[in-house]
Amino acid sequence: MNVVVDLNRCQGYAQCAFLAPEVFAMHGEEALLYHPVVPDGQQERVLRAVAACPVQAILVGEEAGTGER
Amino acid sequence: MNGDPRDGRIVIVGASLAGLRAAETLRDEGFAGSLTLIGDEAQPPYDRPPLSKQVLLGRVSAGDTGLPRRRPVDAHWRLGVRATGLDPLGKRVLLADGTEEPYDRLLIATGTRARPWPNPEEAALEGVFTLRTSGDAAGLAARLDAGPRRVLVIGAGFTGSEIASGCIERGLAVTVAERGPAPLVGALGGTLGALAAKLQRAHGVDLRCGVTVTALEGDRAGRLIGARFSDGTRIDADVAVVALGAVRNTEWVAESGIAAGPRGVTCDAGCRAFDMYGIVTDDVFAAGDVARFPHPLFEYQLLSLEHWGNAVAQAEVAAHNMVNPGPRRRPHLTVPAFWSSQFGLNIKSVGVPTFSDQVVIAQGSLKELRLVAVYGYRGRVTAAVSVNQAKSLEYYQRLIETAAPFPPAPGAADQGESPAPVPSDVPDPKVLSHGPTVALTGHLPDRRLTLVQPGR
């Protein structure tokens, strides 16, 4: 499971950083850093963060281009 | 194409962000034919913005920035093979391995590559890097892990400035060399350029503006040991990162008759590529960093945007138009937007700040490092840039979309420290080390906004 954040959309509400701190972290007051590859055991937390994001900036999904022809 | 636009063969050249999102949109729109993605990099699509941030900071490894998919695309992925030519009459893409891919419709999404250091011998020195691919980032991150004595960053655009910020955060000594008068000045103009210069120096960067690097010096073993500058000074450095902007990957279509060159592949507002006579094609489309397209908010000048958001939005429009008949096609009208984080600040931009003659600090102040700068051109709002104030930006996007008067009306500006507009001081890009990430490549009678050097 991978994530990408549309940082044009992100406004630094930091809900994700509270809900899945091992994946999302604020860097300074407003910038967001994240781990694109979700570590094992963090999936549930990440899905909660995706749902909680006030601007719906987080996309989660299987890694693109793998497991296909 | 045999009548039904949802059938046939579609080939996408370029398997990064724009290519991936286009492929997904094609399937979302009901395309049921054969779909092939061709990419010169061996790995599946990955996200590049983290490479100059999380990856350089050592928090994420360079190979771990793979993009999530929105949906399965049922495509034939041809990764690690470069497209070398296009035969628009025979409708086939020629590949470096001697094979070819026939198409009914083609999407060009080949993006850009890092502009290399102009001296090939110096560029080959151990310790000299560019930063564009995950491989570049892996090499640079490993070198930073080893604790170099000093890192030289050549070019203070967004990428160069983010690299400098990452190095400073890792406790490394950094020199930044920029030919222009300030960091970021080519994208944001004089006011925020001056702020960026102050910020870099306050964080301990040895920032040298108005100079060029005249030579990178190596030892006998071929390792970088230092650099010389145009003002006669020299430094010791064991790592140099060349951040001179990007070169558009158009060489492979140069002989095809498509309107392609150093400024990109020219297309219409519906992402259809023009041929070299200015006649629009109906089977070749372009999207992402490589595309050059007219934008109504900016007087229909041709824009080339090296922005993550543009790659996504334009790919969606291109894909929609590839599988829909004329009257159902859509224009690509998205307001340009990008972000950068550096030296503890979050910088976000909407509109085109270089399309301006004046700028005003509409909210906050330079002193408190929290502000919105609003840019105007001939009395209307054309761009806004926030520093640690992202929540305000959407409001100004509406002003840009509606061509609202500049300076912004009362209520759109609080009592900033600089309530009066000042010249935006956007320099001619030819004075900068780094290329512009937004290139206005059309014609403005009173200004020359870009000079693009031929690709190497």
Side-chain angles (χ1 to χ4, degrees), chain A residues 2 4 6-8 10-11 13 27 29-31 33-37 59 61-66 68-69, chain B residues 21 44 47 54 59-60 64 66-69 73-75 77 169 338-339 346 348 370 388-391 394:
Chain A
N2 284 32
V4 67
D6 181 344
L7 291 171
N8 285 321
C10 174
Q11 295 183 359
Y13 287 97
H27 195 63
E29 279 182 49
E30 202 179 270
L33 295 183
Y34 58 93
H35 286 265
V37 178
L59 173 69
E62 293 304 308
E63 186 169 349
T66 56
E68 295 192 75
R69 281 183 297 150
Chain B
R21 296 301 179 229
D47 210 29
Q54 294 95 306
R59 297 189 182 192
V60 168
D64 280 350
L67 282 164
R69 68 185 189 198
V73 292
D74 185 24
W77 294 80
E169 199 168 328
F338 67 86
W339 75 87
N346 194 36
K348 295 183 70 169
R370 178 188 303 283
N388 275 10
Q389 179 94 344
K391 291 183 179 71
E394 206 174 310

Side-chain angles (χ1 to χ4, degrees), chain B residues 168-192:
Chain B
I168 288 287
E169 199 168 328
R170 296 182 65 147
L172 301 170
V174 182
T175 296
V176 172
E178 167 55 48
R179 185 159 51 156
L184 310 184
V185 69
L188 303 181
T191 301
L192 292 186

Side-chain angles (χ1 to χ4, degrees), chain B residues 66 69 87 94 101 111 143 151 159 167 228 267 296 301 368 405 423:
Chain B
R69 68 185 189 198
D87 170 10
L94 312 179
E101 287 287 343
R143 203 62 180 36
V151 178
T159 304
C167 291
R228 291 189 182 281
C267 60
Q301 285 208 63
E368 61 184 313

Side-chain angles (χ1 to χ4, degrees), chain B residues 4 10 44 65 79 90 138 147 158 202 330 354 383 394 442:
Chain B
D4 183 0
I10 289 182
T65 74
L79 300 179
F158 282 104
R330 291 203 309 247
T354 50
E394 206 174 310

